[in-house]
Amino acid sequence: MPRFVIHKHAARSLHYDFRLEVDGVLKSWAVPRGPSLDPREKRLAVEVEDHSLEYGDFEGVIGEGQYGAGAVIVWDAGEYRDLDEDRSLAEALRAGHARFWLEGRKLRGGWSLQRMRGRGEKAQWLLIKRRDEGADARRRPTSTQPESVLSGRTIEQVRAEAR
Ligand code: MN
């Protein structure tokens, strides 16, 4: 099964980078508020450049002066399954509407990515929890589980250790 990764990234503004392995790269979106388990909460996801599969394991600090300078942790990771039986995930993304099931350490269940505006980098999408047994309007893993699934460290600890 292909992988997904969610980096928590304390750049100029804190955000989560949502990444899906598609055709040998990590398709990526910057999600300012992070994923929600509540199907009523549509989270803005701004498409950003593809990243290499190897980058999915990156955790550390991007140096001053470099693009995305700031601390990064692997907030969640796992595998995903395409929920669309009629077309590949790559085709679904090109068409602007993808549905997939995440099997992460923190996130489990179906999500949708729906393109709203623009094309390619900077296109605006919505990341929306689907209505299934993984939906939960009360649980807020971005608040209650802030730590890395790789190292157990928080983003503040990673930043402090780099000094
Ligand atoms: Mn980022």
Side-chain angles (χ1 to χ4, degrees):
M1 291 219 296
R3 295 171 62 198
F4 84 95
V5 177
I6 302 175
H7 279 125
K8 184 177 181 181
H9 184 187
R12 261 180 309 183
S13 56
L14 182 73
H15 60 274
Y16 294 77
D17 289 298
F18 184 76
R19 310 190 195 278
L20 292 174
E21 176 184 355
V22 180
D23 293 344
V25 297
L26 292 173
K27 290 280 171 198
S28 298
W29 292 261
V31 183
R33 299 186 61 201
S36 172
L37 300 181
D38 184 348
R40 293 168 304 183
E41 291 190 357
K42 301 174 160 99
R43 292 294 165 83
L44 175 68
V46 179
E47 191 169 341
V48 297
E49 73 279 15
D50 297 345
H51 282 61
S52 68
L53 293 181
E54 299 73 57
Y55 188 72
D57 299 319
F58 176 76
E59 185 165 291
V61 175
I62 302 171
E64 291 296 328
Q66 288 181 268
Y67 177 73
V72 176
I73 60 169
V74 178
W75 181 77
D76 199 14
E79 295 179 325
Y80 77 88
R81 186 157 53 77
D82 188 359
L83 290 176
D84 203 328
E85 284 162 15
D86 304 324
R87 55 185 179 184
S88 70
L89 197 86
E91 287 170 328
L93 289 174
R94 277 195 291 277
H97 184 207
R99 306 175 291 157
F100 43 85
W101 182 279
L102 302 180
E103 284 287 345
R105 302 270 297 277
K106 296 173 183 169
L107 301 186
R108 242 190 120 254
W111 265 264
S112 297
L113 267 170
Q114 174 82 50
R115 189 168 53 213
M116 303 300 288
R117 202 168 288 125
R119 282 282 191 283
E121 278 182 41
K122 302 216 172 96
Q124 294 184 12
W125 299 64
L126 294 176
L127 177 66
I128 307 168
K129 181 72 198 72
R130 297 175 67 81
R131 294 178 188 278
D132 55 35
E133 68 267 30
D136 189 337
R138 281 157 307 187
R139 204 160 76 77
R140 304 219 160 250
T142 49
S143 302
T144 58
Q145 296 173 279
E147 73 288 348
S148 163
V149 295
L150 273 193
S151 65
R153 297 182 297 173
T154 63
I155 205 157
E156 292 78 14
Q157 287 171 322
V158 168
R159 186 163 43 205
E161 285 168 22
R163 289 218 173 94

